[in-house]
Every structure is written in C-alpha cells, then in structure tokens.
C-alpha cells in the first residue's frame, strides 16, 4: 500500500525533528530507507543518526529531480528493486524551480500523479517542504497533492487533499495554454527529416547546447509520429523561447490521451505505443500535456546555454 | 499495436492481420499470390480483392483455384458505396464471408488486397486508420488471416503511418529510400547510411531478413547513420530477438553517440541477442 505524506517543516532543525522518528521507525521494522534531499538536510540527518547513518541510502536531489520524468522513473526503478516483500520508506524533497511557474505547476502535477501511479506500491514516502523558504502557493499544492500530512514519524489526516484528476483540471484552468504570437509554426507532415532539420536550426539559433540537441530532436520526432498516427489527420509544431528555455509544442486534432499517466510509466516491452511521450519525459527538462477529445498539445522545454 | 517486421508473407497464420506497404505492382502481386496460393493448398476459403478485375493475381487464382473455394471481388465493390468509402459495408462484407465460410466447413478465411484509388487518393484516406483498427476485431477468433495492401505512392503519407500503426504486422515491398541507403557488405553484414526511422524502415527490413537467413551472427555498422528513432531501434531489436531464437546474435558497431543511451532508456540493453560493440 502506498502512503504519501507532506511534511511541512521549519528549517533544518525542524527537518531532523520530524524525519528522525520516521527513519528510526524504519530501522525498527527492518525497512530500507532512501533519502533524496539537499546536502544540508542530508548532513543534518547523518549527524543525528550517528552510527546508524550508513543504514540510509542518500541520493542528491539536484540530480534525482532533474525532471519529473527522471524522478518518476527513479522511484519506479527503486521500488521495483528494493520494494519486494517489505515496505520501503522514502524521504523525497524536490528542488522547486521557484522562478518558473510552469515548472512549479508541472512538479505539483507530478506529486499528484504519484498517488495514482504508485497506488499499489509498497512504499511510504514523506515529501518535506521547508516553510521558511518555499512560497505559499507551493505549500498549498503540497496539501492538495498529499493524502496525508506528516509529523514526528506519524501520518496526520487532513481535509485539503484533492483527487489527481481534479487537481490537474484545476491547474489547467488556472493558466491559458496557447503558444505566444511570436512562436514559429509549421504543419507536421510525413517529412519528419525536414521537421527535425527545422527544429535543429531553430534550437541552434536560440542556443540550445549541442549535447542536448539529439534529446530534443528525438522527443519532437516521436511526438510528431504520435500526432500523425493518432492525431486525426492534422498536426502542427510551434517553437519559441521563454526566458532561459526553448519550447516546442506538438499539437494534433485527435481523440486525446489519458492523463496523468501517459508518459510517466514506461510502456511494457511489447506495448505498441507510448514510448514517444515516455522518451520526451525522460529526455527533456519539462513536458506539459493538455488533452481533450478534440486534440492534444504536448510541450517540451529544454534549457538554453 | 505492436508492429512486427521480418516475417515473410508465407509465415502468416490464422489470426494475423498484416499490412503490406508496396511501391511496385509486380512485387505486390507476387507477394499476395504467394500468400493466397498457400491458402489454396491448405484448403482455406480464399478471397482476393483485385486491383482490376483481371489483374495477374485474379487470373492466376481463377486458373489454380476451384469454384467455391476462391472468390475475386473488385476493390470498388468491396470498399465503396455510391462511389464513396463505406467502412461499414467493407466490414459487413468480411463478416458475411466469415459466416458463409463457417457454414460450409472452412476453418480459415484468407484474404488479400486493399482499398481502391477512390479511397486512397481522395479526401477519405484519413478514415483508413480507424477502419483498420475496427477491422482488427474480425481477427479475434483466429479464423481470418489477411494482408491489406497499401500503395505507398498513392496513400497520403500521414494516413499511411496511421494504417501501418493499426496493423500488428507490417510487410514491405519497397524500392530503396533516398534517405536510407543500405549497403550489403557481406552475406551477414550491412552498412546502412542515412536515417533509420519510421519513414525509411522499409528499405532495411528486407536486407536484414535476408542476412538473418544465413547461418551466422549479423553485423550492422552504424557509422554512417545520423539518426535512429524508436521504430528504427525496435526493428533492430526485433532482428536481435529473431537471431537469439536461432542461437545467434545481432552485433551493432560504430553506434552514433545517442544510440547507446536510447538502448538503455528503452530497456533493450538486456536483450540477449543484441550485442553493442
């Protein structure tokens, strides 16, 4: 059974005060512990655990939380390898992109999606939120995306949790989702090589690092194939820059895809489709999906040099 | 659906719903005739959807087959109603052939052919993927085996991708693609140059299948390949599985930088038949 708590804590001392009983509880039950957090909190936890510090598997949050797709698959792999018979305990503290609204929203969607995707996983995950540094909007998301709160190693019931689909819909309606007028647009045809060339030229012009170019081209290529094959015969690409990011959006007029899980879970080895969305989530810094019966828009973001 | 490549047309069995993408009538006719003639030998009920009433496949079938076992219908009669594409009529046609064949004691219906130019060349080609997905239900009880032939030169390219995707099995009879030149450097080694992607796969399928036919490991040198997409990688993995089943391996050499990462991300790094040099 999956347990997903938000821990609203008050600086490093608060972090240790609440997390320590959680970790000690795991030791008592012989449950493995994974701690994905920043250096400061990790160091504070190690100090407090003393001789038991080595019983926790620490991972650096900057690397682990490079993108929602990467974090999701990191947890899926970890649960598959360590979950087994006994429950796994996780401390998971994302790195919130504070100056980037779409990024914050998408990370909140990710937190919410975990409740559906991991519903049957034998894991208890506590997501710490530092109330001294995070803005109110993120703390509000925390309560909306976690079925329970956490204090001193215990789950705490609350009434602000919002079901995943409803939470995603609320975020959708809070912000319009249309490419800006300055975007470069072109129809997507079966000339996929031409499409890749157009994306490569534009990406080069706006300073996408060369070593990330293939990630972008493959993601857009696979999304374009999805749009062509399931997109109701019409598909288009829009490209633009937004701050330090390059954005490509693939739009189609198809019957829509099922959120939130599309793109997060790796398709089974012989599954017919789904690798396009999944690869896009793995390869790009951020992926946004809006979908309804009249069409789907998938937006991929990549940081510029 | 899971497009499987590398299956010869003679390797299809009841329940298989395959798509043949061709760009040459003579090769199309040769492949469909081989497929349908196999049905004559096996005592299947054989239905051919003809390009023209007396095309070479139709003539040969009427010569070889016995009345009652073989029917030839024109593509127009099968797919059109008042000159327009009528998916329901086409599906109903298949259902009634299946019912009739069962009543007369045929265990399998074997059909081949494809929609007429009136469908593929006017505005209704975008309806084909949805039609093929619906048609797929006809194969559920394993009594029908079909090859749906599509002319790559005449179907709108976007519709063709959808059609291919709607079939679990895809066969190709295509001449070379300018974007992928496949050099055969020995019986079991290939050196493709260009892009291995969903639009060029057809050029690699046949040389790969032929190389697998020899008794050795197969080597594919990727040094002149600029881009491999998921479909391209799956074709190579498919070949590796085919070889593994025969106790051999597919060796990929000189991989472009991003390909090993793709192999790992997609979980193909544990394929027993795939060796990355």
């Amino acid at each position: 059974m999956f347990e997903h708590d938000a821990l609203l804590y008050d600086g490093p001392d608060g972090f240790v005060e609440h997390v320590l009983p959680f970790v000690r509880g795991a030791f008592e039950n012989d449950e493995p512990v994974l701690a994905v957090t920043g250096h400061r909190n990790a160091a504070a936890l190690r100090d407090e655990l003393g001789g038991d510090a080595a019983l926790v598997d620490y991972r650096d949050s900057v690397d682990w939380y490079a993108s929602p797709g990467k974090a999701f698959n990191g947890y899926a792999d970890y649960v598959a390898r360590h979950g087994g018979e006994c429950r796994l305990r996780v401390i998971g503290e994302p790195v919130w992109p504070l100056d980037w609204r779409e990024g914050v929203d998408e990370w909140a969607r990710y937190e919410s999606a975990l409740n559906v995707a991991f519903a049957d996983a034998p894991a208890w995950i506590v997501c710490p939120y530092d109330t001294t540094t995070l803005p109110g909007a993120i703390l509000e998301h925390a309560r909306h995306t976690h079925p329970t709160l956490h204090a001193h190693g215990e789950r705490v019931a609350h009434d602000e949790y919002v079901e995943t689909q409803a939470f995603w819909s609320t975020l959708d309606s809070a912000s319009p989702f249309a490419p800006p007028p300055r975007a470069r647009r072109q129809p997507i045809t079966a000339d996929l090589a031409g499409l890749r060339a157009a994306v490569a030229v534009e990406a080069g012009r706006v300073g996408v690092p060369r070593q990330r170019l293939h990630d972008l081209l493959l993601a857009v290529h696979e999304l374009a194939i999805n749009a062509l094959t399931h997109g109701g015969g019409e598909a288009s690409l829009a490209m633009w820059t937004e701050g330090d990011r390059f954005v490509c959006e693939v739009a189609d007029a198809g019957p829509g895809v099922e959120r939130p899980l599309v793109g997060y879970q790796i398709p089974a080895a012989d599954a017919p489709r789904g690798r396009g969305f999944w690869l896009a989530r793995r390869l790009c810094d951020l992926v946004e999906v809006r979908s309804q019966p009249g069409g789907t828009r998938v937006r991929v973001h990549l940081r510029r040099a | 659906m899971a497009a499987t490549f590398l299956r010869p047309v003679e390797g299809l069995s009841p329940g298989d719903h395959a798509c043949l993408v061709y760009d040459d009538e003579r090769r199309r006719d040769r492949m469909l005739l081989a497929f349908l003639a196999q049905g004559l030998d096996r005592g299947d009920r054989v239905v051919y959807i003809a390009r023209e009433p007396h095309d070479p496949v139709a003539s040969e079938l009427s010569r070889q087959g016995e009345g009652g076992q073989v029917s030839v219908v024109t593509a127009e009669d099968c797919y059109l109603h008042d000159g327009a594409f009528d998916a329901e009529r086409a599906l109903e046609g298949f259902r009634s052939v299946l019912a009739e064949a069962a009543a007369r004691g045929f265990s399998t219906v074997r059909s081949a052919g494809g929609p007429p130019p009136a469908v593929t060349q006017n505005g209704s080609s975008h309806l084909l993927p949805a039609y093929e997905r619906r048609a797929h239900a006809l194969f559920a009880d394993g009594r029908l085996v079909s090859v749906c032939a599509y002319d790559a030169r005449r179907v709108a390219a976007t519709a063709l991708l959808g059609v291919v995707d709607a079939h679990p099995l895809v066969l190709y009879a295509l001449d070379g693609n300018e974007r992928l030149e496949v050099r055969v450097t020995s019986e079991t080694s290939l050196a493709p140059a260009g892009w291995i992607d969903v639009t060029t796969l057809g050029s690699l399928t046949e040389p790969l299948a032929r190389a697998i036919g020899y008794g050795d490991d197969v080597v594919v040198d990727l040094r002149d390949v600029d881009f491999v997409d998921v479909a391209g990688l799956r074709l190579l993995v498919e070949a590796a599985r085919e070889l593994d089943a025969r106790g051999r391996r597919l060796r990929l050499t000189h991989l472009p930088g991003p390909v090993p990462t793709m192999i790992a991300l997609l979980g193909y790094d544990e394929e027993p038949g795939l060796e990355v040099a």
Side-chain angles (χ1 to χ4, degrees), chain B residues 79-157:
Chain B
Y79 291 94
L80 301 186
H81 181 67
D82 287 340
F85 179 47
D86 186 341
E88 194 46 53
R89 178 193 171 99
L91 294 171
E92 197 43 51
F94 280 106
R95 285 187 209 109
S96 65
V97 169
L98 281 164
E100 170 249 32
R104 291 174 47 212
F106 289 101
S107 63
T108 301
V109 173
R110 179 177 290 253
S111 81
V119 176
T120 55
Q121 281 181 288
N122 71 12
S124 39
S125 67
H126 69 282
L127 301 172
L128 289 167
Y131 159 73
E132 288 288 4
R133 279 196 287 272
R134 285 181 66 196
H136 196 61
L138 298 169
F139 296 81
D141 63 0
R143 296 185 48 238
L144 178 62
V145 52
S146 294
V147 176
C148 310
Y150 284 91
D151 185 340
R153 298 160 303 179
R154 299 219 168 98
V155 183

Side-chain angles (χ1 to χ4, degrees), chain A residues 260-274:
Chain A
L261 298 184
V262 66
Y264 272 122
Q265 281 172 321
I266 185 168
D270 291 315
R273 61 181 67 122

